[in-house]
Each structure stands twice: as C-alpha cells, then as structure tokens.
C-alpha cells in the first residue's frame, strides 16, 4: 500500500518515498520518476540544464571525483585520469576486454587475467563497480536536490545481454552509492514500458527495440504477453554508435583541410576541438540540411547529403544485426508488431528511415530517445511502489516452490527465477501400508527444511485405494499461469483420484522479504545441507527397516536360519544408528543390511519392494 506522510515543514501531504528509475548508460546516465501530480514519467533536470549526465568520472591529483558534464571536458586533455565507458568493464576480466584494450585511454590493469579488471588512476585502483557508483551517487544527489527529499530506492536498467555477473556488479554499484536497488530491468523492456507497451494484461505483442547510443548498438526482440517480457533474441555491436559517426565527420573534415591524421592524433586539443564540432554538426544535421562553422581559421562544413553517405556503412551494419536478431528469434519482419527507437543516435533521420524501411512500417519515436529507458525504469519503479495496483510485472518466480517430503524436507518443483508461465511435476508415493490420505503441503523458499520456508497452502488427497507402501503413484504437478497463480494438483495414477488447489504465491511478500529469504538460504546453506543429508539418511533407514521387516514376515519360509539371525542383527544395529546424529553411520548400517539381505532379496525381489526403496514418500 502506498504510504502517505505529512511534511512537517510545509504541513502538506507528501508521498512517503519516491522510487526512482535510473538509466546507467555507457555514454549518458539519467534519473526519472513518475511525476506525483501529472502521473507521467518525467526525467529529472535542474533548471535550464540537460537531464543527461555524461557517464564520465574525472579524478584530480588528490583523488577527488567529479562526474558528468564537468568531467567531460577532461576527456582529451587529461585522458589518464578521466574514466569514460566504465559500463563496458562491468563484470569483466582482462581477457574479456583485451581485444579492445586500445579503446581505453586510461589504465586498465591486466596483471591477473582471470580476476575482474581494475582501473588505475595515479596510485589508486578502482573497480568498475566503484566507478559506476560515482555516477550513481551523482544521480542520487541530483535527484535529492531536485525533489528536495531523500532518495534511497531505485530501479536500474542494464542491456538485455548482460549476464549474471554484470547484473550483480550493477546492483553492487547501486548499493555502494547508497541505493537500495529494488530491481534490475532490461533496457529494451524499460523502453517498451515507457511507450505503455505491456501495461495491459490482455496485450500480446512482438516488439523490436533498436537502440543506437553513443558507443554501442543493441537490437532486442521481445515478446510481451500477459505482462511478461520475454527476450527472444539480442544482437548488436558493442563498439558501434554515435562516437563512430562523429569520427567519420572528423575524418572527412581533416581530409578536406589536408591535415594529416598523425597531426591530429598528436594534438589532443586539436582532436578534441574537431570531435566536439563534429558532434555539434551531427546534431545540427538531424534537423537542418547543412552545417558550417568557423573554427581556428578553419571553415568546417558538411551537407546532409555527404553526412548520410559517410554514415551509410554504419547504418547498414545495424540493419544486418536486425536481420540476425530476427533469424535468431525465428521470426520475419511480418511478425514484428512495433518498433521502438532508443538512444540519442536514433535522432539521425537517415537512421530512422533505414530502420523503418527494413521493417516495412513506421517506427515509434515519439518519446525522447535519450530519456526513454529511464522513463520506463520510472514506470517499473512506480509499479514496485504499489501505485499501479492493476498491474503486476511478473516475469519470474522470485522464490522456489515445492512440497514437503518425509522428514520435513523441501522438495523443489519450480526453482526460483523460473520464467512463467511454467509447469512442473513429479511422482511421489506413500510410506505406510494401506495409507488412504496423502497430505500435500506447498512451500515457498530456498531452505532445505520446510520449517524454514513459507507455507503457502496445504490439502489432502483422499481416497487412495488401500495398497502396500510404495505402490501408489501420486503425481504432484505445479502450474503457474501467466497471472502468477499457482495451481497445485495431486493425482493417484493407479486409481485416478485427484485433488487440486489454487495458490497466489506472489502476494504478501515484499521485495525485502524475498531478499531476506534468499540471504538466509545462502547463510544457512551449509547447515541446511548437513541437516538434509541426515534427514534423508534417516528416512531411507526407516524405509529399509520397514521393508525388510515386512519381507521377512512374508517370506520366512524362503530364508535359512542363519539368514534370519543375521537380518535381525543388522536391523537392530541400524535401528540404533537411526537414533544418532551421524549420517555416515546410518549409511554404513544401511549398506550392511543390504549386504545381508541381498542374496535372498534377489531371490524374491518384487516390484513393491524396489518401489518402496526408491520413491520419495510423503507423510500421511
Ligand atoms: P548511451 O545509451 O550509450 O549512454 P545515449 O542514448 O545517451 O547513449 O546516446 C548518446 C549519443 O547520441 C551520442 O553519440 C550523441 O552524440 C548522440 N546524439 C544525441 N543527440 C543527437 C542528435 N540530435 N542527433 C544525432 N545524434 C545525437
Ligand atoms: Mg542507452
């Protein structure tokens, strides 16, 4: 429920706490919120400045960091101490980036190829996580300054292709910046949300998200269904973007002016000057037909026509990626319902036209392409804040779901992070002869013992016809439908008796609770494993005893006197072992009993026994 608080200073009502959406970009980063009055996603900006914060950190001699526009001016004058594109280093070791080592003008440490990279600035070392945290800290402070309220909760976006290590690194950067990262969202998912796509539950769509930023190009194909965003494929080039467009213009100019490339490379100020003017020209040509400026007695000119011919190869490359992404998703252009344009470089009309021509329909570009990802992150943040109650963004199950088996053990049927909808099933059996009821207890959590997890539901499968223990085959199936509702069904396959129940596993747990449960499962993993092993050994021992006893009673005539005595002895020893907390001892004694009974068991092995020895049993 959304909380309302009273601002003591003004006496007015204010929202308890705002959750912000953050686009942590390679080139630019920004924060957005859902405006408390207009309810529209809004990028935060100080008066008369851009909402974009260049993702650049500059360190002075004392190691003080400045971030953003101010840091940008040091890019070429103080390259060793000016860190750009830290996002490219997230979760990477040196081997991962060695092919592109020249790209970085600052020192990326390569002493140990298997560990994660660090950046050296003077005599200090920074991890990409720390570097990103400087950017996030700046964004947090900006947001607090503009909103005049503390900001501590955020949703942060990452590229769809980011792996677990890169996502975790992003989370850690947030934590380091003093932010509670409620969720990591894929950039194309956020962009779709900003266009309102996927907000209606009955909506089913296939979307292409074309994202051409400053230094990277990503194309993602998403399938949206029932509020679930599934990434069907991603493609792109992590070294292709607006920077390459700028470079093409610079190269054109110096060729026109007869300046050797070597001279440019040797003169940092000169190259910086050209680069800045090239970016200016590029932006100008997004709305005008020609550009011209006088700079250091050079006339820098370019027409839209020449510009478009210069960038044609770059644009063609992105279209090839689009083709590949479609092929990977096993789709054709006709399957794509909507195309969403993301990234500052999609402002170039030639880019838009090429994409629209390729897909054969107009593209969605009404939302500011620099801001669209952050705006979508704000939409997601608002959903998490509970302000948008009609809509629950369910894409994965946050915690494992399973049932209780003998000895209070958790038997997981659907692991955490499984994509929904999902179906899973497993067979169980009884552990007592003639057992007619079977209790199915449904739990949620990561711990090995159900007592440490959360009970969601319980029901009994009644009317199982009398059969020896181990003979009934009870199929328990879990189905989470697209609405996040879990249906648990139990069916005895021999007799056909069945029973089912509906559970709403997602409700009633906050993200914090989920996080705590996950943390607990990590902290207790070792204890849990030991307890589970002991409980399993005991359960197995008890079953062996029961089966052996029954077998002996039934088949006394088949056994010699020596065999009877040896079996009774082995049973007694196992019985004793079961009272002790030593799983190895129990295992040894189980082996001993098996050793003794093997010869005659083989003689008269019957299906019921082997079934009972193997199958997991549920308490009655
Ligand atoms: P990223 O996602 O990599 O952080 P952005 O989406 O912010 O990057 O895109 C930054 C790029 O967009 C820069 O190369 C910038 O020059 C380019 N850009 C911004 N505005 C325009 C424009 N009007 N025309 C062409 N390119 C633009
Ligand atoms: Mg971006």
């Amino acid at each position: 429920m959304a909380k309302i608080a009273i601002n003591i200073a003004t006496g007015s009502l204010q929202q308890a706490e705002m959750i912000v959406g953050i686009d942590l970009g390679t080139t630019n980063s920004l924060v957005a919120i859902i405006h408390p009055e207009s309810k529209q996603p809004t990028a935060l900006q100080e008066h008369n400045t851009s909402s974009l914060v260049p993702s650049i950190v500059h360190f002075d001699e004392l190691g003080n960091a400045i971030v953003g526009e101010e840091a940008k001016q040091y890019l070429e004058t103080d390259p060793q101490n000016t860190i750009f594109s830290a996002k490219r280093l997230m979760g990477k070791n040196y081997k991962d980036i060695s092919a592109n080592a020249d790209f970085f003008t600052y020192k990326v440490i390569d002493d140990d190829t298997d560990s994660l990279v660090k950046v050296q600035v003077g005599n200090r070392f920074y991890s990409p996580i720390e570097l990103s945290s400087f950017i996030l800290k700046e964004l947090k402070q900006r947001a607090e300054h503009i909103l005049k309220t503390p900001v501590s909760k955020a949703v942060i976006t990452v590229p769809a292709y980011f792996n677990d290590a890169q996502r975790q690194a992003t989370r850690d950067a947030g934590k380091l910046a003093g932010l509670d990262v409620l969720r990591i969202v894929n950039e194309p998912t956020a962009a779709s949300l900003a266009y309102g796509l996927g907000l209606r539950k009955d909506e089913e769509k296939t979307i292409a998200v074309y994202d051409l930023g400053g230094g990277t190009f990503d194309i993602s194909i998403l399938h949206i269904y029932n509020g679930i965003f599934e990434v069907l494929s991603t493609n792109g080039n992590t070294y292709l973007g607006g920077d390459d467009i700028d470079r093409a213009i610079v190269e054109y100019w110096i060729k026109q002016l007869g300046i050797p490339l070597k001279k440019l490379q040797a003169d940092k100020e000169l190259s910086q000057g050209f680069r800045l003017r090239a970016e200016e020209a590029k932006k100008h040509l997004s709305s005008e037909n020609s550009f011209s400026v006088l700079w250091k007695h050079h006339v820098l000119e370019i027409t839209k026509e020449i510009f478009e011919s210069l960038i044609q190869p770059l644009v063609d490359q992105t279209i090839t990626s689009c083709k590949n992404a479609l092929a990977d998703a096993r789709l054709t252009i006709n399957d794509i319902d909507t195309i969403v344009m993301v990234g500052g470089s999609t402002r170039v009309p030639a880019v838009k036209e090429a994409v629209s021509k390729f897909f054969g329909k107009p593209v969605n570009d009404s939302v500011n392409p620099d801001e669209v990802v952050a705006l979508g992150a704000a939409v997601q943040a608002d959903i998490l804040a509970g302000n948008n109650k009609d809509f629950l963004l369910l894409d994965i199950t946050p915690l494992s779901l399973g049932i209780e088996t003998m000895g209070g053990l958790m038997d997981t049927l659907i692991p955490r992070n499984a994509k929904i909808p999902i179906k899973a099933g497993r067979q169980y059996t009884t552990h007592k002869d003639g057992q007619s009821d079977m209790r199915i207890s449904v739990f949620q959590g990561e711990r090995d013992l159900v007592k440490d997890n959360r009970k969601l539901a319980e029901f009994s499968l009644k009317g199982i016809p009398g059969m020896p223990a181990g003979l009934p085959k009870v199929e328990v199936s879990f189905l989470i439908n697209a609405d996040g509702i879990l249906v648990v069904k139990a069916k005895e396959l021999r007799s056909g008796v069945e029973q089912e129940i509906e559970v709403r596993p997602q409700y009633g747990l906050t993200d914090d609770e989920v996080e705590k449960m996950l943390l607990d499962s990590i902290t207790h993993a070792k204890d849990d494993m030991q307890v589970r092993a002991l409980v399993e050994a005991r359960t197995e021992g008890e079953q062996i005893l029961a089966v052996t006893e029954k077998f002996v009673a039934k088949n006394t005539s088949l056994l010699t006197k020596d065999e009877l005595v040896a079996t009774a002895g082995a049973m007694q020893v196992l019985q004793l072992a079961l009272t002790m907390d030593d799983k190895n001892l129990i295992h040894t004694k189980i082996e001993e009993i098996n050793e003794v009974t093997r010869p005659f068991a083989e003689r008269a092995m019957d299906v019921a026994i082997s079934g009972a020895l193997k199958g997991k049993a549920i308490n009655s």
Side-chain angles (χ1 to χ4, degrees), residues 23 25-29 52 55 211-216 241-243 246 279 282-283 286 342-348 369-370:
D23 172 6
T26 310
T27 314
N28 295 305
S29 301
L52 302 185
S55 305
D211 181 349
L212 190 60
T216 58
D243 297 345
D246 302 344
E279 189 175 3
K282 167 183 77 175
K283 290 182 179 173
S286 287
V342 181
S345 302
T346 60
R347 286 231 174 76
V348 175
D370 305 317

Side-chain angles (χ1 to χ4, degrees), residues 65-139:
I66 51 164
V67 174
E69 209 57 59
E70 248 185 288
K72 194 175 179 179
Q73 64 195 30
Y74 294 103
L75 261 188
E76 302 212 19
T77 54
D78 191 17
Q80 290 94 335
N81 302 317
T82 310
I83 316 303
F84 62 94
S85 279
K87 185 173 177 178
R88 294 180 189 280
L89 302 174
M90 290 292 261
K92 296 278 176 96
N93 61 38
Y94 193 75
K95 249 188 257 157
D96 297 330
I97 56 144
S98 54
N100 295 298
D102 287 349
F103 174 84
F104 302 95
T105 55
Y106 45 88
K107 197 157 182 206
V108 183
I109 295 300
D110 60 344
D111 53 356
D112 180 352
T113 50
D114 283 329
S115 65
L116 296 179
V117 295
K118 290 232 167 199
V119 167
Q120 184 174 3
V121 180
N123 53 10
R124 295 185 185 78
F125 296 88
Y126 298 97
S127 69
I129 295 174
E130 287 170 280
L131 295 167
S132 298
S133 82
F134 284 113
I135 298 165
L136 290 170
K137 239 181 256 167
E138 169 75 21
L139 296 174

Side-chain angles (χ1 to χ4, degrees), residues 334-582:
N334 297 323
D335 298 312
I336 303 298
D337 300 306
T338 309
I339 304 123
V340 169
M341 299 300 265
V342 181
S345 302
T346 60
R347 286 231 174 76
V348 175
V351 170
K352 267 186 229 182
E353 282 153 25
V355 177
S356 164
K357 188 169 156 226
F358 172 71
F359 284 103
K361 50 170 78 88
V363 296
N364 281 23
D365 61 355
S366 57
V367 180
N368 182 337
D370 305 317
E371 296 181 345
V372 62
V373 168
L375 297 175
V379 172
Q380 168 72 80
D382 196 51
I383 293 166
L384 289 177
N387 297 336
N388 196 338
K389 285 206 197 62
D390 300 338
F391 182 67
L392 204 67
L393 197 73
L394 282 180
D395 39 7
I396 51 166
T397 57
L399 292 167
S400 300
L401 295 163
I403 66 168
E404 174 180 0
T405 53
M406 284 289 289
L409 289 181
M410 172 85 174
D411 198 33
T412 296
L413 276 97
I414 296 181
R416 80 187 200 85
N417 283 345
K419 258 191 220 156
I420 64 167
I422 186 171
K423 196 177 172 188
R426 198 167 290 162
Q427 277 187 21
Y428 299 88
T429 188
T430 51
H431 87 122
K432 279 192 203 140
D433 287 340
Q435 185 178 329
S436 65
D437 285 9
M438 190 184 257
R439 183 162 46 83
I440 312 287
S441 307
V442 182
F443 284 84
Q444 181 182 41
E446 308 314 307
R447 302 286 300 274
D448 275 355
L449 294 179
V450 293
K451 73 174 175 57
D452 299 318
N453 290 332
R454 190 183 147 93
K455 190 189 249 176
L456 295 176
E458 188 172 87
F459 66 99
S460 278
L461 178 63
K462 290 191 197 301
I464 302 171
M467 277 183 260
L471 210 53
K473 282 189 180 162
V474 177
E475 166 98 15
V476 175
S477 62
F478 277 31
L479 167 76
I480 308 183
N481 64 22
D483 292 330
I485 294 170
L486 169 69
V487 178
V488 180
K489 200 160 143 184
K491 181 174 185 178
E492 203 287 304
L493 299 177
R494 292 176 198 272
S495 58
V497 289
E498 62 179 328
Q499 180 90 33
E500 71 172 56
I501 189 169
E502 263 193 18
V503 198
R504 290 174 182 260
Q506 312 290 341
Y507 300 143
L509 270 190
T510 64
D511 262 25
D512 285 350
E513 285 170 307
V514 169
E515 199 144 305
K516 179 169 182 304
M517 287 175 84
L518 290 179
L519 258 173
D520 281 352
S521 76
I522 295 163
T523 332
H524 296 291
K526 220 173 137 201
D527 300 348
D528 274 10
M529 252 163 63
Q530 283 164 359
V531 176
R532 173 180 277 271
L534 182 63
V535 171
E536 275 174 353
R538 273 201 193 125
T539 305
E540 193 184 343
E542 275 161 14
Q543 284 181 342
I544 297 262
L545 282 178
V547 167
T548 311
E549 199 178 326
K550 202 165 81 184
F551 182 82
V552 171
K554 228 172 156 187
N555 301 290
T556 319
S557 58
L558 281 177
L559 309 186
T560 67
K561 196 175 168 221
D562 282 354
E563 281 172 337
L564 282 173
V565 172
T567 307
M571 285 173 69
Q572 220 166 26
V573 175
L574 176 57
Q575 192 87 58
L576 187 68
L578 292 183
T579 63
M580 284 177 257
D581 290 345
D582 182 347

